[in-house]
């Protein structure tokens, strides 16, 4: 991949950087700033090189319309604190506000454009619309650095199309992420254990098809566990369930058996009558989920079994919380998996926005994991062996 060095001397040049600042917010308070901190090395490097640093990022899903609820204002404030210099937030993404702010820049300054997803062309499926947005973006800069690892699996204007119209390079975050994840994809030290959970069930079920030919063991938790339990003939009450995926999941279980891949699903579950922090938790066997309750966490027996598998592994990838860790009563399964990874001296990767946030929110020391990825979907697609548009466009021969 092309590196920042390949862009030559950057003093006085305008460099457009795509960062991933899609942080969890509670109102306007950032609850986990990990993604902003992860963006600092590239931004500092460009500032130190004397570039005029124009940063673009998205926040949430404003669906192509300007919506103050999704303004990057809280990010601009936090970024300024962390990097220790002013960050000017442009009034808009590509209008007069952005142009004026960029024109006024001196060397080493930072301007953050408003949410790129305020512009509907950013995520358009129409190549011409994205290309038109990329052309507008290119007017603001002389070079492009792609450093938003969390979006490199997206064929979007600020990720993919822009790299075709400006001299482009990968930032240090993207390079570090790709290096770490390739340790798990190219020849992982075995046993290679993948822990999957979270709530994006249909997205993540698809990943399993590819992982069956790569991993030795899959540990299933979070929302997707219930589609597995149902596929095995258990009732799952009001738990998250993807009815239309039951046959697919049965197919995975059969293929895993044929290939000798171990798939573990919960043997006990923490259930509650409602999805709420104060709902009364009860531990039940996986075959005994009451019809009027829903599963919100792995039970203690499951957590112990998963910890044993993780302790024996040499490579572990974890994506997706084991339960609704945001509520104390349903955080044990996630805490148990985090503890097992943290205790392990294997090569351990945590991927997924919420999983990475969980590790920090539950108080684990980041340095006890080999790598905490800033990208959820992007890291999964790399692990699946897919070609990511935002990476292939940065190849030396692209
Ligand atoms: P990541 O961001 O790590 O990829 P996801 O976005 O897929 O993970 O899912 C994270 C969310 O999954 C968390 O907010 C968590 O509360 C939720 N979750 C975990 N287990 C369950 C469950 N059993 N039922 C409903 N939601 C769950
Ligand atoms: Mg998430």
């Amino acid at each position: 991949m092309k590196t920042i060095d390949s862009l030559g001397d950057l003093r006085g040049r305008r460099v457009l950087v795509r960062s991933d600042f899609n942080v969890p917010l509670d109102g306007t308070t950032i609850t986990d700033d990990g993604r902003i901190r992860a963006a600092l090395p590239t931004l500092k490097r460009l500032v130190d090189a004397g570039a005029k640093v124009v940063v673009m990022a998205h926040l949430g899903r404003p669906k192509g319309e300007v919506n103050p609820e999704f303004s990057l204002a809280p990010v601009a404030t936090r970024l300024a604190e962390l990097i220790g210099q002013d960050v000017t937030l442009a009034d808009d993404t590509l209008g007069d506000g952005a142009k004026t702010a960029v024109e006024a820049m001196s060397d080493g300054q930072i301007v953050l454009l408003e949410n790129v997803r305020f512009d509907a062309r950013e995520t358009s499926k129409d190549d011409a619309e994205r290309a038109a947005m990329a052309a507008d973006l290119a007017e603001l800069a002389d070079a492009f650095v792609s450093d938003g690892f969390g979006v490199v699996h997206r064929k979007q204007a600020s990720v993919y199309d822009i790299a075709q119209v400006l001299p482009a390079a990968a930032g240090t975050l993207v390079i570090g992420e790709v290096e770490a994840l390739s340790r798990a994809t190219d020849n992982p030290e075995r046993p290679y254990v993948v822990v999957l959970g979270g709530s994006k069930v249909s997205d993540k079920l698809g990943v399993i098809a590819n992982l069956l030919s790569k991993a030795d063991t899959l540990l299933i938790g979070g929302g997707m566990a219930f589609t597995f339990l149902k596929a095995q003939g258990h009732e799952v009450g009001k738990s998250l369930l993807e009815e239309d995926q039951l046959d697919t999941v049965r197919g995975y279980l059969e293929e895993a058996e044929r290939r000798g891949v171990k798939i573990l699903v919960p043997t006990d579950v923490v259930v509650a009558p409602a999805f709420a922090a104060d709902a009364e938790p009860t531990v039940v066997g996986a075959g005994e989920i009451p019809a009027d309750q829903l599963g919100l966490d792995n039970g203690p027996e499951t957590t112990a079994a998963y910890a044993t598998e993780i302790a024996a592994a040499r490579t572990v990838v974890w994506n997706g919380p084991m339960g609704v860790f945001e509520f104390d009563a349903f955080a044990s399964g996630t805490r148990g998996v985090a503890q097992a990874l943290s205790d392990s001296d294997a090569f351990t990767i945590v991927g997924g926005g919420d999983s990475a946030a969980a590790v920090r929110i539950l108080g684990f020391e980041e340095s006890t994991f080999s790598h905490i990825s800033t990208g959820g979907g992007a890291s999964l697609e790399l692990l699946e062996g897919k070609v990511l548009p935002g990476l292939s466009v940065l190849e030396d021969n692209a």
Side-chain angles (χ1 to χ4, degrees):
M1 260 189 305
K2 284 181 243 178
T3 62
I4 292 174
D5 285 334
S6 75
L7 298 174
D9 184 10
L10 293 174
R11 184 158 302 277
R13 286 168 72 201
R14 299 167 305 167
V15 179
L16 194 56
V17 183
R18 178 59 157 103
S19 296
D20 176 10
F21 291 150
N22 193 25
V23 290
L25 282 178
D26 183 0
T28 55
T29 307
I30 296 169
T31 52
D32 179 55
D33 64 6
R35 282 181 163 162
I36 306 179
R37 284 186 286 119
L40 296 176
T42 291
L43 296 178
K44 278 197 182 123
R45 178 162 167 189
L46 295 171
V47 164
D48 291 345
K52 295 171 178 162
V53 185
V54 183
V55 189
M56 46 183 178
H58 76 281
L59 183 65
R61 295 176 185 270
K63 306 211 166 109
E65 280 168 28
V66 177
N67 179 345
E69 198 188 319
F70 298 106
S71 167
L72 284 168
V75 169
T77 306
R78 187 76 189 115
L79 174 59
E81 284 164 11
L82 289 169
I83 203 162
Q85 74 179 81
D86 285 345
V87 172
T88 306
L89 177 66
D91 293 335
D92 50 37
T93 313
L94 276 167
D96 289 340
K99 283 181 196 126
T100 314
V102 172
E103 269 161 25
M105 291 177 90
S106 19
D107 298 357
Q109 279 195 341
I110 301 176
V111 164
L112 175 61
L113 303 181
E114 251 307 356
N115 197 330
V116 284
R117 291 195 187 164
F118 284 175
D119 191 319
R121 298 174 299 173
E122 165 70 359
T123 57
S124 172
K125 297 277 171 261
D126 181 338
D127 292 352
E129 284 183 6
R130 290 196 321 273
M133 177 163 172
D136 288 350
L137 285 167
E139 282 186 23
L140 297 176
D142 308 300
F144 169 62
V145 172
S146 177
D147 208 35
F149 178 71
V151 287
V152 289
H153 60 315
R154 304 288 189 203
K155 203 171 184 181
Q156 296 177 343
S158 70
V159 178
Y160 174 78
D161 302 84
I162 186 68
Q164 295 183 314
V165 289
L166 285 177
T172 53
L173 175 64
V174 161
I175 288 176
E177 291 267 16
V178 171
E179 275 173 8
L181 289 157
S182 38
R183 243 180 99 169
T185 44
D186 318 338
N187 250 328
E189 214 185 313
R190 295 182 184 277
Y192 172 21
V193 174
V194 178
V195 191
L196 281 180
S199 58
K200 290 181 195 154
V201 178
S202 28
D203 284 9
K204 294 186 186 180
L205 282 175
V207 175
I208 295 176
N210 288 307
L211 288 178
L212 285 174
S213 61
K214 300 193 163 73
D216 301 300
T217 303
L218 298 182
L219 307 176
I220 307 291
M224 82 175 71
F226 304 98
T227 305
F228 277 83
L229 290 173
K230 180 90 183 179
Q232 293 178 330
H234 298 306
E235 289 310 321
V236 298
K238 295 191 291 173
S239 309
L240 271 188
L241 176 63
E242 302 266 327
E243 291 273 5
D244 56 350
Q245 300 285 325
L246 287 171
D247 282 339
T248 312
V249 165
R250 283 188 199 105
Y252 292 156
L253 289 166
E254 281 162 22
E255 192 185 338
E257 178 121 33
R258 248 193 335 270
R259 287 178 177 270
V261 172
K262 222 195 285 186
I263 297 189
L264 266 58
V265 300
T267 55
D268 60 348
V269 180
V270 184
V271 298
F275 187 98
D278 58 358
E280 176 77 24
T282 313
V283 176
V284 298
E288 291 141 23
I289 300 175
D292 58 349
Q293 304 225 356
L294 68 168
L296 294 178
D297 196 10
N298 288 346
E301 182 185 277
T302 305
T303 302
Y306 287 11
T308 303
E309 293 292 334
I310 292 167
R314 293 306 307 152
T315 304
V316 189
V317 172
W318 172 32
N319 180 296
M322 296 291 98
V324 184
F325 73 92
E326 296 90 339
F327 303 153
D328 271 348
F330 309 102
S332 299
T334 302
R335 189 178 284 114
V337 162
Q339 188 71 55
L341 262 80
S342 175
D343 291 343
S344 159
D345 59 7
F347 185 66
T348 54
I349 297 181
V350 184
D354 293 291
S355 313
V359 159
R360 293 186 283 259
I361 289 165
L362 296 175
F364 287 90
E365 183 58 53
E366 287 178 69
S367 62
T368 60
F369 304 87
S370 309
H371 183 69
I372 299 185
S373 176
T374 55
S379 59
L380 283 178
E381 289 196 17
L382 266 188
L383 293 171
E384 287 181 76
K386 287 192 180 163
V387 174
L388 276 48
L391 294 178
S392 49
V393 77
L394 304 173
E395 290 301 333
D396 295 309
N397 53 4

